[in-house]
Amino acid sequence: EAGVTQFPSHSVIEKGQTVTLRCDPISGHDNLYWYRRVMGKEIKFLLHFVKESKQDESGMPNNRFLAERTGGTYSTLKVQPAELEDSGVYFCASSQDRRGLVNTEAFFGQGTRLTVV
Amino acid sequence: KNEVEQSPQNLTAQEGEFITINCSYSVGISALHWLQQHPGGGIVSLFMLSSGKKKHGRLIATINIQEKHSSLHITASHPRDSAVYICAVVSFLVNTDKLIFGTGTRLQVFP
């Protein structure tokens, strides 16, 4: 069974450009999470989908970030326009249990390293 | 101050040593996760626990809910155990299903 897959693995873009990150969760996992680690800091929550619905987007830093999960399968995270402080590693995770991370482990992707120059 | 604190931040050990990594948290939690990240690699779940103790191979995780503390132990450490170990908690808050992460403990085990 394929794990959580993220594309691209690395992205270097100029300030002001747009970047779209993609996450393919494990098939059948309704819960999909986006997290981010900026340099030297702990990993922080961005948002949580249950199927195609945004359950919690309290961690999204500002309106330059847009996440979608059309059809409840893969998800995209678009940053437009990118700023220098957006640089970091973006992780996607998925879990199966409808009760969420209280009751089950999360499966993480390899992450996308975003560098904004 | 972070809601989840880990100690030590860095740890070196000789192969065969017993390792302990500590995690303290300041929020009410429903569950605690221990995760492992190898250099350049993704994050792998090691344990999810809400009480007591769990064991998997040479790894043991314990949690004391009253003291808001968890420990991850590695017995007979091996160089392949070298990685960053991350503690993350699920907050008690209703309608919240997210992990709050510690900063991680970087472990290096030398032969």
Side-chain angles (χ1 to χ4, degrees):
Chain A
E1 179 184 300
V4 177
T5 310
Q6 292 187 244
F7 304 97
S9 56
H10 294 84
S11 180
V12 181
I13 61 170
E14 292 185 352
K15 176 182 170 180
Q17 288 186 322
T18 297
V19 63
T20 300
L21 314 181
R22 172 170 168 148
C23 170
D24 286 69
I26 293 173
S27 177
H29 282 197
D30 288 342
N31 293 297
L32 187 150
Y33 314 83
W34 283 99
Y35 291 89
R36 174 175 78 167
R37 187 206 296 267
V38 295
M39 192 159 60
K41 299 287 184 75
E42 69 275 16
I43 299 170
K44 294 229 169 170
F45 169 80
L46 295 177
L47 89 160
H48 170 209
F49 283 100
V50 177
K51 297 185 180 178
E52 67 275 8
S53 299
K54 290 178 187 173
Q55 183 76 11
D56 180 356
E57 52 184 331
S58 61
M60 295 287 264
N62 52 61
N63 59 10
R64 295 186 294 103
F65 288 74
L66 175 65
E68 294 180 323
R69 193 183 182 195
T70 307
T73 54
Y74 71 90
S75 174
T76 58
L77 179 65
K78 182 160 75 171
V79 185
Q80 179 183 32
E83 298 289 344
L84 299 179
E85 65 263 24
D86 301 332
S87 296
V89 181
Y90 290 76
F91 291 100
C92 174
S94 70
S95 73
Q96 185 172 30
D97 196 307
R98 65 168 55 189
R99 287 164 292 180
L101 299 173
V102 169
N103 206 58
T104 188
E105 63 182 312
F107 294 85
F108 284 81
Q110 295 285 314
T112 293
R113 182 174 295 277
L114 174 64
T115 303
V116 183
V117 297
Chain B
K1 187 170 162 57
N2 292 343
E3 293 166 296
V4 181
E5 296 280 352
Q6 288 184 236
S7 63
Q9 286 189 309
N10 295 282
L11 184 56
T12 58
Q14 288 295 125
E15 183 173 356
E17 285 185 3
F18 181 84
I19 305 260
T20 295
I21 299 171
N22 296 298
C23 174
S24 296
Y25 50 91
S26 57
V27 295
I29 71 166
S30 303
L32 183 143
H33 293 242
W34 279 103
L35 307 158
Q36 179 193 57
Q37 184 178 24
H38 281 282
I43 297 170
V44 175
S45 178
L46 298 175
F47 294 103
M48 196 271 313
L49 65 167
S50 54
S51 66
K53 175 178 168 178
K54 285 190 176 180
K55 184 176 190 291
H56 184 249
R58 294 180 296 105
L59 301 180
I60 303 166
T62 63
I63 188 168
N64 185 318
I65 296 292
Q66 286 74 27
E67 294 186 5
K68 295 189 174 180
H69 181 268
S70 176
S71 293
L72 177 69
H73 306 286
I74 305 174
T75 62
S77 60
H78 191 275
R80 65 175 175 267
D81 297 326
S82 298
V84 176
Y85 291 84
I86 306 169
C87 170
V89 302
V90 182
S91 172
F92 200 68
L93 291 172
V94 177
N95 294 328
T96 297
D97 180 36
K98 63 185 180 186
L99 292 172
I100 303 171
F101 287 78
T103 51
T105 295
R106 185 175 301 275
L107 170 66
Q108 287 185 294
V109 182
F110 294 98

